[in-house]
Amino acid sequence: PRSHKHRQKPSKMMTHAAVVVWAVALTSIIASAAAFNPTTPYAVSHRSASTTALFSEPHDDCEGGGSRRSFLEGAAIAAAASAASSVALGPGIGPASAASSSDQPICVIGCNGRTGTEVVSYCLSKGIPTVATSRGGAYNAKDDVVTSSNSKLLKELVCDVTVPSTVETAVAGARGVVFAASASKQGGPPSAVDNAGLVGVAKACIDSKVPHLVIVSSGAVTKPSSPVYQFLNLFGKIMEEKIKGEDEVRRLYAEHNVGSENKLTYTVIRPGGLTLDPPKGVDAVELNQGDTKSGRISRADVAALCIESISFPNSTGGTTFECYDADTGAPLATVGLSNIAKKKTDGEAFVSGKERRGATYKELFTDLEKDVGYAS
């Protein structure tokens, strides 16, 4: 079992100068990634990954594509300058239960971010009714994803996680909700989106009795002494806000499920460095727990994990796990440089003992440890 209460305290080993080096070096890398994030609405396109796959990008819900990249670039430049859980699931929870009937939709919060776009695309490819939500109320990749055979499956809605009334409307009647939103220049800072926004979505899901909430978070979020955390946290203290949001979600679900006959659940997914590569499939992915290991993974494979998690709530409910391509796995101390170099590690660099592999999603999710504080 893993405790989310006893985390490493920030180490003093990383000097002020080292932070400057990280910020300056990676500013140029983030700027180069802008080619993958045009100002026109994002369309599903599995292009080759560049050095945009650094760690776990702390940003996903972007209305027009360019605003979050601008947010990150500006934050990196400013930073460089200034630096000089298990749920008791109960028999009613499951893909065949009346509460989560297949004719009920999956709601995607942040459908126009790169990962959110892939989540909607995956749902539609599987014939799943989908509510795609964004601040503007339109799914920007519709022309590339929606066809005559799946057009009736898609519903577009306005949802701004900083406006509770829009969240309540969006999640009502869903059998699952995927939270793929994150801070952006237009959408709000990490405190408003990755923390308070996530908590607001969780509360709405509980109030609406949504069976399953899936959260796209970030690897290294519990390791403030790691280079990954220290760099990403330069952007509005996003890592601090993400873990605050995660922990409050765990508390809310634990509080709800105590003595309740209507058990609800959540899954926290912590991706490694996100790429635009085509999906490699379930057998290429490795899961880990304990937040000690990361790597690179395509957004399309993360999308699949989100939706497939909802299909196996008895395995994924009340769990938190990291995900990355198995042949890129590395310890947090070195994974940033490994990702920049697009290095393959094939599991040789570090073995945590909590790796999970599988030929199917059911097998991949088997024996995941539940979050501390929850009864099986």
Side-chain angles (χ1 to χ4, degrees):
R2 296 167 292 112
S3 173
H4 294 282
K5 297 184 179 296
H6 303 293
R7 298 191 179 84
Q8 298 177 6
K9 293 183 178 180
S11 170
K12 295 183 180 179
M13 294 297 291
M14 176 170 280
T15 65
H16 187 71
V19 174
V20 176
V21 172
W22 274 100
V24 173
L26 291 175
T27 296
S28 62
I29 295 170
I30 290 176
S32 71
F36 294 98
N37 199 5
T39 54
T40 54
Y42 179 73
V44 174
S45 177
H46 299 124
R47 292 157 284 188
S48 78
S50 72
T51 45
T52 187
L54 305 178
F55 312 123
S56 302
E57 287 194 38
H59 48 91
D60 262 335
D61 177 26
C62 185
E63 290 297 317
S67 60
R68 177 163 295 105
R69 186 62 63 195
S70 300
F71 172 76
L72 282 174
E73 288 173 355
I77 293 169
S82 65
S85 225
S86 165
V87 175
L89 290 176
I93 299 295
S97 71
S100 57
S101 173
S102 61
D103 61 356
Q104 291 181 283
I106 288 177
C107 173
V108 182
I109 308 289
C111 73
N112 288 330
R114 293 185 174 188
T115 301
T117 295
E118 295 287 356
V119 175
V120 174
S121 178
Y122 188 85
C123 283
L124 296 179
S125 74
K126 297 295 182 181
I128 299 172
T130 308
V131 177
T133 78
S134 62
R135 295 189 308 277
Y139 177 48
N140 292 342
K142 183 163 58 176
D143 290 344
D144 301 277
V145 173
V146 177
T147 66
S148 57
S149 62
N150 64 26
S151 60
K152 293 182 178 180
L153 297 173
L154 179 67
K155 180 179 181 180
E156 300 164 284
L157 279 181
V158 171
C159 180
D160 184 333
V161 298
T162 66
V163 182
S165 61
T166 66
V167 177
E168 294 164 4
T169 300
V171 306
R175 62 183 169 108
V177 171
V178 177
F179 183 90
S182 194
S184 69
K185 187 175 181 180
Q186 295 178 349
S191 59
V193 180
D194 299 84
N195 183 358
L198 170 59
V199 171
V201 169
K203 288 179 178 178
C205 287
I206 292 172
D207 289 344
S208 297
K209 296 180 174 56
V210 175
H212 205 145
L213 168 63
V214 177
I215 300 158
V216 181
S217 185
S218 174
V221 75
T222 67
K223 299 295 188 287
S225 63
S226 70
V228 174
Y229 183 107
Q230 294 203 4
F231 172 69
L232 292 180
N233 206 47
L234 295 173
F235 308 112
K237 297 186 176 181
I238 192 167
M239 299 295 266
E240 293 181 33
E241 300 300 338
K242 279 183 178 292
I243 192 58
K244 288 177 183 177
E246 279 191 22
D247 283 343
E248 181 61 10
V249 168
R250 294 185 185 96
R251 189 195 69 78
L252 287 170
Y253 277 84
E255 181 178 80
H256 169 81
N257 286 329
V258 171
S260 174
E261 294 183 0
N262 185 13
K263 309 292 186 183
L264 306 174
T265 196
Y266 68 88
T267 302
V268 179
I269 298 178
R270 295 171 173 169
L274 294 164
T275 77
L276 296 174
D277 285 343
K280 293 184 178 180
V282 61
D283 57 349
V285 173
E286 181 172 277
L287 306 185
N288 194 56
Q289 293 185 287
D291 207 12
T292 59
K293 189 174 181 179
S294 193
R296 299 184 300 283
I297 187 170
S298 75
R299 295 176 186 273
D301 280 322
V302 172
L305 286 169
C306 290
I307 302 308
E308 297 297 338
S309 291
I310 295 173
S311 296
F312 299 98
N314 290 310
S315 295
T316 65
T319 69
T320 298
F321 58 82
E322 296 77 56
C323 59
Y324 45 85
D325 291 343
D327 61 2
T328 68
L332 294 184
T334 62
V335 71
L337 296 176
S338 176
N339 283 352
I340 291 172
K342 293 187 280 189
K343 181 180 178 182
K344 295 290 184 70
T345 60
D346 295 314
E348 296 175 1
F350 175 69
V351 176
S352 71
K354 294 188 177 182
E355 289 84 358
R356 295 284 184 273
R357 299 288 302 276
T360 65
Y361 286 103
K362 181 179 181 179
E363 184 179 349
L364 181 67
F365 296 142
T366 298
D367 295 330
L368 284 171
E369 295 179 0
K370 303 298 185 179
D371 288 343
V372 171
Y374 293 84
S376 303

